[in-house]
Amino acid sequence: MSAAVIDGKAIAARVRADVAREVETFTQTVGRAPGLATVLVGDDPASAVYVGGKQRACKEVGMVPFDRRLPAEASFEQVAEELERLNDDRAVSGVLLQLPVPAHLNGPALTGLISPDKDVDGLTPVNAGLLSLGRPGLRPATPLGVMELLADTGVELEGAEAVVVGRSNLFGKPMAQLLLERNATVTVCHSRTRDLREVCARAELLIVAVGRARIVKRDFVRPGAVVIDVGMNRLTPEEAGNKSGLVGDVDFAGAAEVARAITPVPGGVGPMTIALLLRNTLQAARYHAELETLLAEVDGEPA
Ligand code: NAP
């Protein structure tokens, strides 16, 4: 193996420590801590684990967690009412609806009800539009996490040939837009891409988010490329060759022979997502505090 392994766990720990310091200052200055609300509908065990992780991380950096749970049979109106309550609650800086929601509910429509200024997952049409227009807003945490990994690894993005495999609203599209913002030359691949291997092999920066174990092989990787593996696929420990049974979308052993740097799974992109969710919550809390100060100034002005 010649590639440097990008240590997402260590980089995420640094981001969380920075957020914790900034939350302390924020809380002293503003007089209240930022609050993060998670809304979980139903009892999907994986979703419950993700929500638990977000709640714990929130407490660790000094934020206030709001844990809202609704039964699997909750109606659209009931979930909408919960989101509206959180939108109106001054103690809540960020709101996220854990996806996927049960099949009878419309996840994107519900997500769209979250106030854009509290949309810490960056998934509402307003925030997606702001990103697409290159204007400030809340960005999805996983692509933001990848940007942080690239910055920490010293990857030069200006003019770089970047290939993103996957075009989901959650990851692929916002990832491509963040790279464009930094002047990379971006190609986006998907299930209808004619020759995936050939397109990937052009990339100086290859980012893969498909959800298929080890779909990207050694010969997809240009020698000296930086490879970011977003995929999380569960196999048996025997198939995976590790205890967790978790593998990425990239054949790590093969790709690491030719790449310059590569993220492992687990321990690469995964830990970054919660870290950047916390940073987004702090960003939202700062926005609300600034808005309150401005409104107070306006109220205090003689008419
Ligand atoms: P998704 O919504 O299912 O999107 C998958 C994308 O891959 C689609 O754009 C699809 O193309 C494309 N695709 C499917 N088969 C392909 C093929 N054979 N060749 C090329 N492209 C193909 O998934 P997602 O939400 O973006 O997530 C992708 C992976 O990243 C999953 O493993 C997920 O668990 C992981 N993930 C991890 C984190 C984290 O925190 N670490 C966060 C988000 C996602 P079409 O559009 O044509 O269908």
Side-chain angles (χ1 to χ4, degrees):
M1 185 177 102
S2 65
V5 177
I6 301 171
D7 187 349
K9 248 173 133 172
I11 300 168
R14 282 204 292 278
V15 173
R16 283 157 77 143
D18 286 349
V19 171
R21 267 192 300 278
E22 292 172 47
V23 165
E24 202 181 345
T25 311
F26 176 92
T27 307
Q28 281 166 6
T29 319
V30 177
R32 65 168 189 273
L36 173 63
T38 54
V39 178
L40 175 62
V41 187
D43 39 25
D44 175 56
S47 293
V49 169
Y50 292 142
V51 164
K54 290 169 190 175
Q55 294 277 323
R56 254 195 323 280
C58 184
K59 279 186 221 154
E60 277 166 21
V61 295
M63 293 182 182
V64 182
F66 295 82
D67 185 357
R68 299 287 185 263
R69 304 206 175 201
L70 288 95
E73 59 282 3
S75 66
F76 185 95
E77 289 71 26
Q78 285 171 317
V79 184
E81 275 168 27
E82 187 59 63
L83 294 173
E84 291 297 342
R85 267 195 293 278
L86 294 165
N87 282 343
D88 292 341
D89 187 340
R90 201 169 151 262
V92 173
S93 321
V95 178
L96 72 84
L97 175 65
Q98 185 65 41
L99 298 173
V101 288
H104 69 281
L105 295 172
N106 181 338
L110 283 167
T111 298
L113 298 175
I114 296 171
S115 264
D117 55 295
K118 295 194 176 186
D119 168 30
V120 284
D121 263 344
L123 295 178
T124 59
V126 171
N127 279 312
L130 289 170
L131 170 58
S132 159
L133 294 174
R135 287 170 46 186
L138 288 160
R139 315 301 200 205
T142 307
L144 269 188
V146 171
M147 294 305 281
E148 195 72 34
L149 290 179
L150 296 174
D152 199 274
T153 312
V155 177
E156 176 62 49
L157 293 176
E158 178 100 13
E161 187 89 47
V163 171
V164 178
V165 189
R167 57 172 164 182
S168 67
N169 292 331
L170 183 71
F171 183 80
K173 282 182 200 159
M175 186 73 250
Q177 285 164 331
L178 289 173
L179 292 170
L180 267 181
E181 224 170 52
R182 299 291 304 281
N183 299 320
T185 302
V186 186
T187 304
V188 180
C189 299
H190 44 77
S191 65
R192 319 287 166 84
T193 296
R194 218 174 293 130
D195 187 344
L196 186 63
R197 193 206 65 78
E198 185 266 330
V199 182
C200 289
R202 283 189 235 143
E204 294 167 81
L205 169 60
L206 177 60
I207 302 180
V208 190
V210 171
R212 288 196 181 196
R214 297 169 178 154
I215 184 176
V216 167
K217 317 275 185 225
R218 183 188 198 276
D219 62 344
F220 286 42
V221 179
R222 171 170 163 171
V226 172
V227 180
I228 306 289
D229 188 354
V230 185
M232 290 207 291
N233 308 288
R234 196 153 298 276
L235 304 179
T236 64
E238 293 74 43
E239 286 168 333
N242 64 31
K243 259 201 282 179
S244 67
L246 207 59
V247 297
D249 291 345
V250 177
D251 168 21
F252 181 86
E257 285 172 15
V258 279
R260 168 162 81 82
I262 185 166
T263 56
V265 177
V269 175
M272 298 302 291
T273 299
I274 290 188
L276 274 294
L277 173 70
L278 297 171
R279 188 186 279 169
N280 276 353
T281 306
L282 178 61
Q283 180 184 329
R286 283 186 171 138
Y287 172 80
H288 296 133
E290 280 166 22
L291 200 63
E292 281 169 19
T293 308
L294 276 174
L295 290 174
E297 279 170 18
V298 171
D299 278 351
E301 270 175 16

